[in-house]
Amino acid sequence: MTYAIEAEGLVKRFGATTALAGVDLAAPTGRVLGLLGPNGAGKTTAVRVLATLIRPDSGVARVSGFDVVRQAHEVRQLVALTGQYAALDEGLTGVQNLILVGRLLGLSRRDAKARAAALLARFGLSDAGGRRAKTYSGGMRRRLDLAVSLVGRPSVLYLDEPTTGLDPHSRNELWSIVRGLVADGATVLLTTQYMDEADQLADDIVVVDRGTVIATGTPDELKTRTGGQTLEIRPADPARIEDAADIVAALAGVRPVAEGGRLSAPVSDPALPAAVLRRLDDAAITVTELALRLPSLDDVFLSLTGHRAEEQGEPVAETVAGRA
Amino acid sequence: MASVAVPAGHRLAPWRAVQHCFTLAWRNLVQLKSNPGELAGFIIQPLVFIVLFVYVFGGAIAGTSGSYLQYVLPGLIAQSGVFSIMATGAGLNQDITNGVFDRLRSLPIARSAPLVGRTMGELVRFAASLVILLAFGMVIGFRVHTNPLEVAAGLLLVLAFGVGLAWVSMLIGLLARSATTVQLFSGVLMFPITFGSNVMVQTSTMPGWLQAWANVNPVSYLSTAVRGLLTGTPLGSSVWWSLGWSVLLTAVFAPLAIAAYRRKV
Ligand SMILES: Nc1ncnc2c1ncn2[C@@H]1O[C@H](COP(=O)(O)OP(=O)(O)OP(=O)(O)O)[C@@H](O)[C@H]1O
Ligand SMILES: [Mg+2]
């Protein structure tokens, strides 16, 4: 396997703060590496090192074999960065922002224009292309920012919390764009605080906390490592939820948690779901939902760091459970 | 293990670097063009200055507004650089805070292009504003008493001084924490060097301490030089002093600004 991004022992200090305390990571070519961590974990710092914007105090990082410090120019020819905050020239229109970067990358005036038009169309911004970026909504800005990153057809793309502040629809759109890029062969390093985002997009995950890597693996590996599956049951008749809870409690040995008309209980015995279903049937309790799910990445994060990932105003665990 | 073909040669050809500067200068100018408010301000501000000084104060200062116009317009041309060029640093600072600077730095372009390109753009804007000032002055009655070569020399002298100021401004822009700080700091610098000069009035009318400052103020030399090159008044050594100041500003502040820039790059 070749690695588009490799980093070993990255250390970066800002005064008394150690933003990176020896981070190792590797992103296989053509895949999505999710960099997960709470606020201040060092995600942005890692991305900035890999994008040649800051030099590490120690450690090495290579992009497609080029050293980010000694061969920064080569690295810059391969990578593009969509930062945590949209980096647009507010005084220019959407088209002009794209043309500016196209021209700087050596496209002819005409090619830069054509590329701009194509990208605007792809990001649903054709109508707004002639307006100054200042007038764009937050979601439009993020999309334009991503479009600008793609002008040079980068083979390695860094996305620093690309969907923060996007509505669910725009998030889904962005996810499918990322999948499209990966299908075209790009390698993506994605930082996020959204567990479901990492779950949806990332082939591999690196979890960082306080500048150190605390876990790596595929989403499934991480979930399995945390162990413990959860059984979820939703009785058709909400009135019978207590009866159902009694049955689960009797079989599982612990009282299930009731939340929103649904019961969930940890499973240690693989035979438990079948047994529960049988007893429910005997008691004439019909269920509309019965699922056995792996822990969500949120659970993983909790068990690894001892604290939850940042509050997101959205029940991520439920989204994951819904798909289980 | 590199699986991606990289364009050959990691050193930029010099002409590519020049192209990057031009593209970034274009960016500065197109910003102005696509921003009607700023464009209007850009054109109207010098006109407001002329109208204010010539018609409001002119009679009181020089007896008639016509004779005052003859005196003050070259001065306004000389000092306009202080106002217009001092915005360079604010723009640079804004780029740094809103991430555009990082975006540019993540591109495979000449390291110096963001700095040089911006300055080039600002100088083009500045040159345009000088022409507007002179043209409007002539419309309302300013008379040039010298040959076109001398006029051109006067304007070039102002541009050269503008280059020196641009370095000062960029240094402020690179060091300041926010664009507001830049504006505040530039403002504090601007007033003594514009008003404490012979731009608006003869320094002989000022109290001794102010006169002492105004007589050594580079803007005074510059305005004397421009006045002489446009209206034929005595030049003395003002041209050399102006050139000297321009060179000095560049010699001192260019290395400082470049060092501050390197620290960021
Ligand atoms: N330029 C800087 N100067 C000083 N401290 C910094 C700087 N950049 C980052 N830090 C510090 O380094 C640590 C890691 O910051 P970083 O931005 O990498 O975190 P993050 O994981 O991206 O967080 P978030 O999820 O909030 O974006 C933080 O404690 C931060 O305060
Ligand atoms: Mg961050």
Side-chain angles (χ1 to χ4, degrees):
Chain A
M1 190 182 302
T2 66
Y3 292 93
I5 307 168
E6 295 168 291
E8 286 156 38
L10 290 184
V11 174
K12 181 72 193 177
R13 291 184 204 89
F14 296 105
T17 318
T18 302
L20 299 177
V23 167
D24 299 338
L25 54 85
T29 307
R31 304 231 271 172
V32 180
L33 177 68
L35 189 57
L36 225 67
N39 282 138
K43 304 183 295 293
T44 299
T45 306
V47 166
R48 287 172 62 80
V49 168
L50 294 171
T52 76
L53 292 176
I54 49 177
R55 286 159 182 251
D57 294 330
S58 66
V60 286
R62 283 181 297 274
V63 176
S64 294
F66 294 109
D67 187 284
V68 296
V69 175
R70 283 178 294 109
Q71 294 167 303
H73 190 75
E74 286 84 344
V75 172
R76 290 181 190 125
Q77 288 175 316
L78 300 170
V79 307
L81 164 65
T82 303
Q84 191 166 354
Y85 308 98
L88 299 168
D89 185 331
E90 307 251 305
L92 298 187
T93 64
V95 177
Q96 287 165 346
N97 266 290
L98 290 160
I99 291 180
L100 172 67
V101 172
R103 295 285 289 152
L104 287 173
L105 290 172
L107 296 183
S108 70
R109 210 174 296 255
R110 194 188 207 203
D111 290 348
K113 262 190 193 137
R115 185 91 183 114
L119 283 165
L120 286 172
R122 178 163 166 198
F123 285 84
L125 290 169
S126 295
D127 293 340
R131 268 172 32 203
R132 276 185 296 139
K134 195 178 283 181
T135 66
Y136 281 25
S137 74
M140 291 163 79
R141 262 165 222 255
R142 298 230 67 145
R143 275 183 287 157
L144 180 60
D145 198 41
L146 182 55
V148 172
S149 304
L150 298 182
V151 169
R153 303 177 201 278
S155 58
V156 175
L157 183 65
Y158 304 127
L159 301 173
D160 196 1
E161 302 196 22
T163 62
T164 303
L166 292 191
D167 63 32
H169 175 69
S170 309
R171 278 176 91 188
N172 275 315
E173 262 180 8
L174 197 129
W175 289 350
S176 69
I177 288 166
V178 172
R179 289 191 189 103
L181 292 171
V182 174
D184 291 343
T187 307
V188 175
L189 175 65
L190 168 92
T191 85
T192 184
Q193 300 181 35
Y194 296 112
M195 301 304 143
D196 61 334
E197 184 159 287
D199 211 13
Q200 289 269 347
L201 291 178
D203 300 300
D204 303 284
I205 288 178
V206 171
V207 185
V208 287
D209 192 23
R210 299 189 185 96
T212 349
V213 174
I214 53 174
T216 51
T218 65
D220 283 340
E221 279 168 8
L222 289 180
K223 291 178 201 168
T224 316
R225 208 174 304 161
T226 312
Q229 301 183 331
T230 309
L231 176 68
E232 294 188 333
I233 295 167
R234 185 191 294 277
D237 179 2
R240 312 254 355 232
I241 196 154
E242 278 310 309
D243 299 340
D246 291 341
I247 292 170
V248 175
L251 290 171
V254 283
R255 188 103 200 133
V257 180
E259 197 188 325
R262 185 169 56 189
L263 299 170
S264 49
V267 177
S268 40
D269 175 5
L272 181 75
V276 168
L277 201 54
R278 244 185 340 264
R279 290 280 299 276
L280 289 172
D281 200 30
D282 293 344
I285 300 172
T286 40
V287 293
T288 54
E289 185 185 328
L290 179 112
L292 192 60
R293 68 166 178 90
L294 284 167
S296 69
L297 275 171
D298 209 28
D299 302 330
V300 172
F301 199 84
L302 179 62
S303 84
L304 285 171
T305 65
H307 55 92
R308 289 232 159 245
E310 224 37 44
E311 284 308 318
Q312 295 143 25
E314 172 176 10
V316 169
E318 286 221 326
T319 323
V320 177
R323 295 183 305 115
Chain B
M1 63 151 290
S3 58
V4 190
V6 175
H10 67 278
R11 282 278 152 252
L12 271 172
W15 65 271
R16 290 280 300 135
V18 172
Q19 208 173 33
H20 296 150
C21 294
F22 274 105
T23 303
L24 287 161
W26 163 83
R27 168 198 169 211
N28 260 50
L29 297 170
V30 88
Q31 257 177 348
L32 186 65
K33 200 185 86 185
S34 58
N35 189 340
E38 205 186 320
L39 185 60
F42 172 76
I43 296 172
I44 291 168
Q45 196 199 359
L47 308 190
V48 169
F49 256 71
I50 296 185
V51 169
L52 181 73
F53 282 104
V54 173
Y55 295 113
V56 179
F57 303 131
I61 297 171
T64 67
S65 50
S67 60
Y68 189 57
L69 175 64
Q70 215 51 25
Y71 178 82
V72 81
L73 187 77
L76 291 178
I77 288 176
Q79 72 153 22
S80 62
V82 180
F83 288 97
S84 136
I85 292 293
M86 284 312 250
T88 314
L92 191 62
N93 189 274
Q94 200 180 5
D95 273 359
I96 294 169
T97 23
N98 71 14
V100 171
F101 193 68
D102 277 349
R103 158 137 285 145
L104 296 178
R105 290 202 306 127
S106 73
L107 297 174
I109 61 171
R111 297 287 83 194
S112 57
L115 206 63
V116 177
R118 170 171 289 279
T119 312
M120 280 166 49
E122 294 287 348
L123 285 173
V124 171
R125 278 162 84 142
F126 179 42
S129 75
L130 293 183
V131 171
I132 294 172
L133 261 174
L134 185 57
F136 183 69
M138 290 175 78
V139 167
I140 62 171
F142 179 78
R143 289 294 160 258
V144 172
H145 296 306
T146 53
N147 64 41
L149 226 60
E150 285 169 283
V151 174
L155 297 183
L156 283 177
L157 204 55
V158 178
L159 277 179
F161 190 67
V163 173
L165 287 178
W167 291 114
V168 179
S169 176
M170 277 186 284
L171 180 65
I172 299 172
L174 286 163
L175 296 181
R177 291 217 177 274
S178 74
T180 327
T181 320
V182 177
Q183 245 132 32
L184 228 98
F185 200 76
S186 307
V188 168
L189 274 181
M190 257 185 298
F191 284 96
I193 65 174
T194 54
F195 288 95
S197 73
N198 68 7
V199 164
M200 288 120 196
V201 292
Q202 311 271 7
T203 54
S204 55
T205 62
M206 298 175 180
W209 58 271
L210 186 56
Q211 211 179 102
W213 158 244
N215 282 336
V216 297
N217 183 347
V219 172
S220 294
Y221 288 115
L222 189 63
S223 106
T224 304
V226 177
R227 200 167 282 139
L229 289 166
L230 260 54
T231 66
T233 51
L235 282 171
S237 55
S238 61
V239 171
W240 303 114
W241 276 103
S242 308
L243 266 182
W245 268 108
S246 311
V247 171
L248 184 73
L249 285 178
T250 299
V252 172
F253 287 96
L256 290 176
I258 289 170
Y261 181 73
R262 285 252 169 81
R263 277 221 333 241
K264 298 236 181 219
V265 178

